[in-house]
Amino acid sequence: MTAFQAPTGTRDVLAPESARIEQLVATFAGLCRRAAYGLVLSPMFEDAGVFRRGVGEASDVVTKEMYEFEDRGGRLLALRPEGTASVVRAYVQHRPPVPFKSWYVTPAFRYERPQAGRYRQHHQFGVEAIGSADPDLDVEVVALLDEYLRAAGLSKLVLRINSMGDDECRPGYLAALEVFLAAHADELCGEHREGWARNPLRVLDCKREECVALRPEMPVLSSMRCDNCEHHFARVVAGLDALGVGYQFDDFLVRGLDYYTRTTFEFGSLALQSAQNAVGGGGRYDKLVAALGGPETPGIGFATGIERVLLALDAEGAAPAGEDGVDLFVVDLTGGASARDLTHQLRRLGFSAERAFDQRSMKAQLRQADRSGATVAIIVGEDELARRQVTARVLRGPDAHHQESFDVDDLAPSLQKLLAGARP
Ligand code: HAM
């Protein structure tokens, strides 16, 4: 074992595995751009109050999982456990025009018990759309996540949706829930038997047997929603129907972060074990901007875990994203200067090109060319160089072993033709 290893619950991702993530980033960024969401970058750490107040003092993420520390100046900071509170903090600070539609890709830090699909540093894509209470925005955001997950290659998905009410109907519902929980406290799981009063909603999505067993009797918000929330939710549902996004209603989908109001949603992968099957989720947070010091402003967003999506893809047996090798590998038998100049020239012409370093033998260079996944090797020998020529040898595909000589000063068209023919 080496002296230092990546900390528990974190992992290094090297190429070629990282190529799959690169592809997901491109897919997500492309979809966001098409839907007019702009990239937002914000700090990896914030005043701990951003998350305490934003995500909720009583949420597990804050009480059990947050990486909090004092910096050398005595400020209490926290590594971001998620992106929403940070983006909303940035919105309140800068007050860009609304609707403020943003996307991000970020590491998120949570001190959890590491297991498959659950890390202490995971990576999320997300969007946050701030400044509109229109239910069509809920539909846009849910449909965007649906489209991304499908574009990533997932098909065994289930979307669960719920509405968590607002200031008008939630207090009455909470009161009813509290009465129920007080009467059934003895029947709750070990954690909630004593602690349910701190955050009664958490009992709804508790996965422990005792709490789940009580679900059929628990009061649910859907039977107590106010007209405004009912109307909003009906519009969301009609929009999902219109766009052909399938869903299931789930009264117990309250999600683990405390900022949600009205619409909540979560995509589960049917190919993953239930404890870690959430590949993405989100909801409305119409009180969050005000909670972080801004004016009353509605918002909605989602985040999707990169590692979870990769796990779900593997579990579905979805074909792994093609690992693209380079187009060309320059094998230089003249000492290295030709490889230096030619790779530079080829890259400027738009090809991907690699070379060997350290003046290795032809055999070693060809072995490396093969390992690099290159389609064509460009071999430069002394005699040819004198004639300003190179040999192009096809390394893979239907034309493998085919060899041709090309003029160094007119490489691009010949190579393009060769590559086009060599690719299956
Ligand atoms: P979240 O459900 O806590 O939501 O996390 C989003 C996604 O991140 C999850 O669905 C899951 O795929 C992934 N994830 C969460 N924790 C871990 C972990 N420990 N290891 C691996 N993957 C994980 C949020 O973070 C909200 N900010 C989403 C949101 C945005 N709501 C409104 N806007």
Side-chain angles (χ1 to χ4, degrees):
M1 199 151 92
T2 53
F4 295 110
Q5 308 254 316
T8 306
T10 70
R11 49 186 218 123
D12 304 308
V13 187
L14 312 180
E17 192 194 345
S18 55
R20 301 174 78 193
I21 295 180
E22 234 181 298
Q23 234 172 44
L24 291 182
V25 173
T27 301
F28 194 76
L31 290 171
C32 288
R33 177 165 289 279
R34 262 162 45 189
Y37 288 71
L39 177 66
V40 56
L41 302 174
S42 58
M44 222 40 44
F45 56 89
E46 298 271 355
D47 186 314
V50 169
F51 303 113
R52 290 187 158 273
R53 237 194 274 168
V55 175
E57 292 279 2
S59 64
D60 279 0
V61 166
V62 165
T63 55
K64 300 185 188 156
E65 296 168 4
M66 204 149 73
Y67 281 87
E68 264 181 333
F69 59 98
E70 210 173 276
D71 76 0
R72 288 167 195 272
R75 301 170 195 89
L76 186 60
L77 300 173
L79 296 184
R80 57 161 52 163
E82 57 109 49
T84 311
S86 308
V87 173
V88 169
R89 193 271 310 141
Y91 169 80
V92 171
Q93 184 174 339
H94 304 286
R95 298 290 296 280
V98 293
F100 173 62
K101 301 209 313 183
S102 60
W103 73 274
Y104 50 87
V105 48
T106 182
F109 307 88
R110 298 182 188 180
Y111 192 82
E112 302 200 73
R113 200 164 59 80
Q115 49 200 295
R118 196 171 287 284
Y119 301 99
R120 291 190 176 163
Q121 175 177 337
H122 70 278
H123 298 82
Q124 299 186 341
F125 297 123
V127 307
E128 309 299 343
I130 300 173
S132 169
D134 191 327
D136 282 358
L137 186 57
D138 305 33
V139 176
E140 173 174 301
V141 164
V142 177
L144 183 58
L145 180 53
D146 179 68
E147 206 178 348
Y148 159 69
L149 294 171
R150 288 177 201 286
L154 293 176
S155 56
K156 295 181 183 148
L157 294 169
V158 57
L159 165 61
R160 293 178 298 130
I161 59 172
N162 191 19
S163 168
M164 299 192 43
D166 64 5
D167 279 353
E168 201 182 326
C169 49
R170 177 101 63 98
Y173 167 66
L174 278 179
L177 182 63
E178 281 167 14
V179 169
F180 174 87
L181 293 176
H184 291 84
D186 293 350
E187 298 156 60
L188 297 173
C189 74
E191 183 184 338
H192 289 124
R193 204 168 299 153
E194 303 295 329
W196 66 265
R198 268 196 299 278
N199 200 340
L201 282 177
R202 289 283 74 76
V203 180
L204 266 78
D205 65 357
C206 176
K207 304 286 187 300
R208 288 183 208 93
E209 223 174 279
E210 299 92 322
C211 291
V212 172
L214 278 173
R215 281 187 182 186
E217 298 163 56
M218 272 184 216
V220 288
L221 209 142
S222 56
S223 59
M224 300 174 71
R225 256 177 230 138
C226 60
D227 288 349
N228 287 337
C229 285
E230 201 55 52
H231 180 68
H232 184 97
F233 198 43
R235 285 274 310 276
V236 173
V237 166
L240 294 176
D241 287 340
L243 300 192
V245 177
Y247 54 83
Q248 291 174 5
F249 295 114
D250 185 344
D251 281 326
F252 297 92
L253 181 72
V254 291
R255 304 205 9 93
L257 311 157
D258 288 350
Y259 45 62
Y260 292 114
T261 50
R262 293 195 169 169
T263 315
T264 50
F265 58 97
E266 196 165 279
F267 282 86
S269 162
L270 296 170
L272 290 180
Q273 293 230 317
S274 71
Q276 266 79 241
N277 75 355
V279 289
R284 261 203 178 274
Y285 43 81
D286 293 344
K287 302 271 143 206
L288 184 54
V289 174
L292 292 181
E296 286 272 335
T297 311
I300 180 166
F302 68 71
T304 160
I306 293 179
E307 293 82 359
R308 275 304 158 82
V309 166
L310 291 176
L311 265 184
L313 282 168
D314 292 340
E316 274 198 23
E323 275 163 26
D324 287 338
V326 285
D327 298 325
L328 307 167
F329 194 103
V330 179
V331 174
D332 185 357
L333 309 175
T334 70
S338 298
R340 178 194 64 206
D341 301 345
L342 207 51
T343 42
H344 184 68
Q345 182 194 340
L346 290 166
R347 289 169 187 165
R348 289 182 72 181
L349 287 169
F351 298 100
S352 56
E354 179 55 310
R355 54 162 297 186
F357 294 95
D358 303 313
Q359 302 198 26
R360 308 178 66 199
S361 70
M362 176 163 175
K363 200 166 145 202
Q365 291 188 53
L366 278 170
R367 216 179 307 124
Q368 198 179 330
D370 201 45
R371 226 179 26 231
S372 75
T375 309
V376 171
I378 309 277
I379 304 165
V380 192
E382 296 284 2
D383 297 349
E384 286 178 296
L385 195 61
R387 284 181 271 121
R388 296 208 56 76
Q389 290 225 307
V390 295
T391 303
R393 182 188 296 176
V394 179
L395 296 178
R396 58 196 69 238
D399 299 337
H401 307 304
H402 170 78
Q403 208 161 288
E404 257 180 82
S405 284
F406 293 137
D407 208 341
V408 175
D409 301 310
D410 190 26
L411 270 179
S414 326
L415 283 175
Q416 258 147 12
K417 214 165 121 214
L418 199 64
L419 283 168
R423 294 211 172 101

